[in-house]
Amino acid sequence: MKVLIVEDEKPLVESISNYLKQEGYLCEIALNFNQAESKISDNTYDCIILDIGLPDGNGLELIKVLKSNKSKDGILILTAKDSISDKINGLEIGADDYLTKPFHLSELNARIKSIYRRRNLAGNIEIHFNEIKINTEAKQVYVNDSVLNLTRKEYELLLFFISNKNRVLTKLSIVEHLWGDNVVMADSLEFVYTHIKNLRKKIIESSDNDYIKTVYGLGYKFTDQ
Ligand code: CA
């Protein structure tokens, strides 16, 4: 799960990002409107945690930018205590949910997960693909009801594949989703092969099916067709 934290209060950014990293999220940070605007134009996120009161702009304007770019990123706005109008405006222009400051990090986590489920899994905790079942709450994968042991990256990779089944995923989009844009600058994206190869091998060994297809020159597709 890849999130962007847009917030100008540094201690708050740090506590959010430390907490979410422990929970296994990939976190990117924008400390002001301009940074956020450039991040959202270059990247996609499962969820954007968006502070409304930024020093150089109003967070609500970023929602408008996202929507005009036809972005599918989830949006959770952070609002000050008494700003009913921010909450209502935010939801009306396309935020998925809001959280009023101050909040508990565990509640933030629960809301991000709920947004993710609503947008990607039709509200379900479990996601199925033939004999493969993923419990996104326990982060556990089963093949024919037996546990499939995956590393964290393999798990994220499988979830990303199955959430985008039958669609070609470029190597770059996979790297961006799993490692963020720090790694995208690296010369070689070869390391992603290793993870895909290992995941593919584990699936073949446990299910006898090879769902990860290489689409020559483009990327990969998770499919049974
Ligand atoms: Ca602020």
Side-chain angles (χ1 to χ4, degrees):
M1 180 105 76
K2 185 180 171 192
V3 301
L4 175 65
I5 306 163
V6 184
E7 167 64 66
D8 58 303
E9 291 167 50
K10 275 198 177 158
L12 181 57
V13 171
E14 273 169 26
S15 65
I16 293 175
S17 115
N18 288 340
Y19 183 86
L20 294 181
K21 278 179 192 161
Q22 276 173 21
E23 293 289 316
Y25 292 71
L26 187 69
C27 297
E28 290 182 11
I29 289 167
L31 293 169
N32 56 47
F33 188 97
N34 277 330
Q35 283 179 9
E37 198 174 24
S38 97
K39 287 238 173 222
I40 61 174
S41 65
D42 295 341
N43 301 283
T44 60
Y45 299 94
D46 293 305
C47 189
I48 298 172
I49 302 158
L50 178 60
D51 180 33
I52 295 302
L54 296 167
D56 54 343
N58 186 320
L60 294 176
E61 294 299 319
L62 280 174
I63 302 181
K64 292 181 189 163
V65 174
L66 284 162
K67 294 301 162 187
S68 71
N69 293 346
K70 306 250 184 301
S71 158
K72 292 194 168 57
D73 299 357
I75 304 167
L76 173 66
I77 53 176
L78 304 179
T79 64
K81 208 153 130 208
D82 297 319
S83 55
I84 300 288
S85 63
D86 280 347
K87 292 171 193 165
I88 293 171
N89 288 338
L91 292 174
E92 276 183 346
I93 62 177
D96 295 278
D97 202 353
Y98 65 82
L99 205 50
T100 305
K101 290 182 187 177
F103 50 82
H104 287 283
L105 292 169
S106 54
E107 184 176 7
L108 174 71
N109 185 25
R111 294 205 184 220
I112 296 170
K113 287 199 282 195
S114 153
I115 289 174
Y116 181 82
R117 282 199 303 272
R118 282 208 302 274
R119 302 183 70 91
N120 299 80
L121 314 175
N124 298 314
I125 287 172
E126 283 189 355
I127 175 168
H128 295 260
F129 183 91
N130 295 348
E131 67 281 16
I132 300 174
K133 179 174 81 184
I134 303 177
N135 182 313
T136 60
E137 210 41 47
K139 300 196 175 178
Q140 191 71 266
V141 178
Y142 302 86
V143 174
N144 293 321
D145 292 324
S146 300
V147 172
L148 180 66
N149 285 314
L150 299 178
T151 65
R152 181 163 260 176
K153 284 295 180 205
E154 288 163 4
Y155 169 85
E156 295 288 342
L157 191 54
L158 180 62
L159 187 59
F160 189 48
F161 269 132
I162 292 187
S163 303
N164 292 283
K165 62 188 172 194
N166 302 323
R167 246 188 262 167
V168 177
L169 297 174
T170 64
K171 198 159 57 169
L172 188 62
S173 75
I174 293 170
V175 172
E176 274 179 357
H177 187 83
L178 270 82
W179 285 272
D181 55 1
N182 304 329
V183 175
V184 173
M185 309 309 287
D187 310 343
S188 163
L189 303 178
E190 298 305 304
F191 64 92
V192 75
Y193 281 134
T194 314
H195 292 275
I196 291 173
K197 195 180 74 192
N198 292 342
L199 174 63
R200 186 178 201 170
K201 188 163 160 252
K202 287 183 182 179
I203 293 173
I204 293 171
E205 280 170 0
S206 59
S207 83
D208 263 343
N209 285 309
D210 183 10
Y211 296 126
I212 301 176
K213 313 286 185 204
T214 305
V215 183
Y216 188 72
L218 288 176
Y220 299 91
K221 185 153 80 166
F222 198 93
T223 184
D224 58 0
Q225 287 153 18

